[in-house]
Amino acid sequence: MEHHQSSVEKFEKFIWKVENFSHLKSYVIYSEPFVLGGYPWRIILYPKGEVEAEESLSIYLEAVKTDNMSEGWSRDVKYKFHIFNQFDANMTTTKESMIEFKAYDDQWGCSSFMPLVDKLLDLKKGFIVNDVCMVGVEIFVRKSTQEKQVNRSVTLTFESLAGPIEVETLVPKIEDPCPNLKTLSPDCHEPTIDPDTELFTALGRVLYFLKTRKVKDMNEKTCKELQVLWDELKKFKFDLTWLEPQVQSALGIHRVLEKAMEVEKMKENVVVLELETEKLKTKLSAAEVNLEVERDLWKAKGIKEIDFDSELGP
């Protein structure tokens, strides 16, 4: 059976949040299965590269087998892979291909997607933040043969050494709301501006602010600027629990600095008062010495010292 797709290239998206990236021990990792363009897929990622000597990230798209496939199925697919830059969305690394997936050739991708040491793993570049790497794929299926589109809960079959492994996945309905980064629904109408780009741009602004602002430079104006950026980012309903403590800490810096300045000013006042006290003590000591000298002179002249307390009386 042959399925013809619309001539309009409507890409559907899936984003995979890979956590604890630097601690991954596996040579290869797999995303959860997802459905785009009416067909099931998964992403295959080699965190240290498929060929270790090349020192490049390797990434592949796999057409997952289902009961809807006939023996000679094929699928013309245009797809784009993304490794998102979390500092600046404009720096996101993207590669695009148009490939025919077949029953005997169901994995396609790139063995050298991007350099590891000089780019991906360099924390200053912004591709890995808080040990999280954001991987995305966009898919447009031009046409397919000998298979039916998935329109219900399906069983996805993976081959392993122990034999086939079956995993169920739910295909979202058309009326489902547009997804955030954790939702698999492909059927949302695309807005004028790509929401994923908006999200990562907003996230990049906050991360760039935190990266470039120094504590000593924080003031009321910069705190308000950060609050505006943070409020814009929170509108996307993305999980920001990993970032919120840093932002709240930065927002509280101004108050801390004000208190610190008050304390420093009080310390300076104490120092001034201590100096004044020392001066007064010195003057008092000199006055007491002078008084003793005057008394000795009076006694030498036979002048009787007056007891002012007794003279004045009560």
Side-chain angles (χ1 to χ4, degrees), residues 87-183:
F87 288 167
D88 183 354
N90 294 322
M91 299 300 291
T92 292
T93 297
T94 298
K95 290 190 178 181
E96 180 178 330
S97 295
M98 187 164 65
I99 296 293
E100 183 182 14
F101 286 75
K102 301 177 182 179
Y104 54 86
D105 211 358
D106 58 1
Q107 295 180 14
W108 288 95
C110 185
S111 62
S112 300
F113 185 80
M114 64 187 298
L116 291 174
V117 177
D118 297 333
K119 195 168 185 179
L120 179 66
L121 301 179
D122 186 344
L123 299 184
K124 296 179 181 179
K125 297 292 178 65
F127 292 98
I128 296 178
V129 176
N130 290 326
D131 214 14
V132 172
C133 181
M134 304 298 293
V135 181
V137 65
E138 296 182 65
I139 294 176
F140 167 65
V141 180
R142 297 177 66 248
K143 69 175 182 178
S144 66
T145 59
Q146 304 301 319
E147 60 176 344
K148 298 179 181 178
Q149 289 186 325
V150 174
N151 56 7
R152 57 184 174 84
S153 179
V154 296
T155 298
L156 307 182
T157 305
F158 301 95
E159 296 297 331
S160 71
L161 295 177
I165 301 175
E166 294 185 348
V167 179
E168 286 193 355
T169 185
L170 181 64
V171 181
K173 298 178 181 178
I174 293 178
E175 62 266 26
D176 282 351
C178 288
N180 60 17
L181 296 184
K182 291 185 176 180
T183 307

Side-chain angles (χ1 to χ4, degrees), residues 157-213:
T157 305
F158 301 95
E159 296 297 331
S160 71
L161 295 177
I165 301 175
E166 294 185 348
V167 179
E168 286 193 355
T169 185
L170 181 64
V171 181
K173 298 178 181 178
I174 293 178
E175 62 266 26
D176 282 351
C178 288
N180 60 17
L181 296 184
K182 291 185 176 180
T183 307
L184 305 185
S185 173
D187 298 303
C188 302
H189 296 290
E190 291 190 272
T192 304
I193 301 176
D194 187 344
D196 295 338
T197 301
E198 284 191 303
L199 167 62
F200 281 98
T201 299
L203 178 60
R205 291 194 187 109
V206 173
L207 293 172
Y208 184 77
F209 184 99
L210 296 174
K211 179 181 177 64
T212 57
R213 291 297 195 279

